[in-house]
């Protein structure tokens, strides 16, 4: 069931999203060679709690960490580890924050130190894909318009769209209806309505979109060992267009 939010609920979700955005802004200067994703996770958990929030991923279906930290060929749901990040790595930090019962969800990919031109291009293309998807999130459009905008941008550039994971409604629960696919046909799928709140979170690979699951039962990585990146925002559909609840200040 899709829940349409009230203006008041969207305001509260925006507060949650602003806190989440500030975590990502803090992470920018912390992600560098030698740092571990374990340390980043500890920082994130403390920062969220210090600001009155709850790291909502902890305890979700048995997940143990405040963040998912997915390095290089890991697509999503990487566990934070005590392995230091290396110059040239790319790492996606994904988290969900609960602030006063209102959830927000945002993932961001970061380069570690100096990264290769190829990796930088993957990050740029994946971020642009997210924003092209968001542009389509307007009243009267359909979910297929979002998926199509993403897929038709990245595939001609030689990248692939992961099909096993999708965006989702969000509110007082992390995963609500609808599912928001990152591929599709224009004019197809659910009609987008005012005051829906959902995420768009494309995972884009350099090689095949197919994945394999690690033995931990959580971490998805690319089947061919290619690199993978992801950017995710939580957004509300308003009469003035999509309002990005987790937007960072640049
Ligand atoms: N943040 C993820 C998403 O985008 C959810 C991660 S699942 C969890 O939907 F178990 F790690 F919380
Ligand atoms: Co999400």
């Amino acid at each position: 069931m899709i829940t349409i939010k009230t203006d008041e609920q969207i305001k509260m979700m925006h507060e949650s999203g602003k806190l989440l955005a500030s975590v990502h802004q803090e992470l920018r200067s912390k992600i560098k060679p030698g740092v571990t994703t374990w340390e980043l996770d500890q920082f994130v958990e403390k920062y969220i709690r210090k600001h009155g929030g709850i790291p909502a991923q902890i305890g979700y279906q048995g997940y143990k960490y405040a963040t998912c930290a997915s390095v290089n060929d890991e697509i999503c749901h990487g566990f934070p580890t005590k392995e230091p990040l290396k110059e040239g790595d790319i790492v996606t930090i994904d988290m969900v924050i609960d602030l006063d019962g209102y959830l927000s969800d945002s993932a961001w990919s970061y380069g570690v130190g100096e990264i290769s031109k190829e990796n930088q291009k993957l990050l740029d293309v994946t971020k642009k894909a997210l924003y092209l998807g968001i542009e389509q999130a307007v009243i009267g459009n359909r979910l297929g318009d979002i998926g199509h905008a993403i897929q038709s941008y990245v595939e001609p550039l030689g990248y692939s769209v992961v099909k096993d994971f999708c965006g989702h409604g969000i509110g007082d629960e992390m995963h609500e209806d609808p599912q928001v696919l990152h591929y599709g046909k224009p004019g197809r799928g659910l009609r987008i309505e005012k005051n829906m709140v959902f995420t768009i979170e494309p995972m884009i690979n350099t090689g095949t979109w197919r994945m394999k699951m690690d033995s931990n039962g959580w971490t998805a990585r690319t089947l061919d060992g290619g690199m993978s990146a992801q950017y995710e925002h939580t957004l509300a559909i308003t009469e003035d267009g999509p309002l990005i609840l987790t937007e960072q200040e640049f």
Side-chain angles (χ1 to χ4, degrees):
M1 196 190 69
I2 296 163
T3 59
I4 301 295
K5 273 68 181 178
T6 64
D7 292 345
E8 185 57 29
Q9 285 171 321
I10 289 174
K11 231 168 100 189
M12 300 296 282
M13 292 183 77
H14 202 176
E15 291 308 310
S16 174
K18 284 177 190 167
L19 175 58
L20 204 167
S22 76
V23 179
H24 278 302
Q25 283 168 217
E26 292 288 324
L27 284 174
R28 275 183 216 167
S29 59
K30 291 194 153 45
I31 295 177
K32 49 187 173 212
V35 169
T36 69
T37 49
W38 174 269
E39 291 162 342
L40 297 173
D41 187 76
Q42 295 286 103
F43 163 76
V44 168
E45 178 172 357
K46 288 203 190 89
Y47 184 96
I48 293 170
R49 293 195 196 281
K50 191 172 85 189
H51 290 85
I54 298 167
Q57 292 193 166
I58 297 177
Y60 179 81
Q61 294 186 0
Y63 194 75
K64 290 198 176 67
Y65 311 96
T67 62
C68 299
S70 306
V71 181
N72 294 338
D73 65 324
E74 292 173 343
I75 295 169
C76 64
H77 305 160
F79 289 178
T81 71
K82 291 182 174 164
E83 182 84 23
L85 291 168
K86 299 184 305 296
E87 182 102 27
D89 285 345
I90 57 171
V91 57
T92 302
I93 308 289
D94 186 10
M95 73 192 79
V96 181
I97 289 184
D98 176 338
L99 185 65
D100 302 323
Y102 296 90
L103 302 195
S104 58
D105 186 359
S106 178
W108 212 251
S109 289
Y110 299 87
V112 180
E114 285 282 313
I115 63 172
S116 68
K117 268 207 203 84
E118 292 75 20
N119 280 346
Q120 188 59 52
K121 184 161 179 223
L122 173 65
L123 297 188
D124 294 345
V125 166
T126 306
K127 193 194 288 179
K128 174 105 189 274
L130 167 62
Y131 281 87
L132 288 173
I134 291 172
E135 251 175 45
Q136 296 299 317
V138 296
I139 297 169
N141 266 8
R142 291 178 182 268
L143 289 182
D145 295 313
I146 295 174
H148 181 258
I150 293 168
Q151 183 176 30
S152 65
Y153 169 61
V154 306
E155 285 183 352
L157 295 171
Y159 298 96
S160 65
V161 177
V162 171
K163 312 269 192 320
D164 304 270
F165 303 95
C166 58
H168 49 89
I170 179 168
D172 53 13
E173 296 197 51
M174 187 187 302
H175 293 139
E176 300 181 356
D177 288 335
Q179 295 197 343
V180 181
L181 305 182
H182 303 114
Y183 58 94
K185 294 201 169 72
R188 299 286 183 86
L190 188 84
R191 195 177 287 280
I192 297 168
E193 287 174 46
K194 179 173 148 71
N195 285 22
M196 283 180 172
V197 178
F198 54 79
T199 72
I200 303 178
E201 48 183 299
M203 284 144 270
I204 305 299
N205 298 349
T206 54
T208 178
W209 60 268
R210 292 189 182 274
M211 64 97 165
K212 58 187 177 212
M213 185 61 78
D214 277 8
S215 56
N216 66 19
W218 277 97
T219 308
R221 62 179 73 234
T222 60
L223 188 62
D224 59 4
M227 303 293 271
S228 187
Q230 180 185 25
Y231 292 85
E232 171 183 25
H233 274 313
T234 298
L235 47 129
I237 309 306
T238 80
E239 264 155 10
D240 304 322
L243 173 63
I244 302 175
L245 303 181
T246 47
E247 187 73 297
Q248 298 168 34
E249 288 160 26
F250 291 96

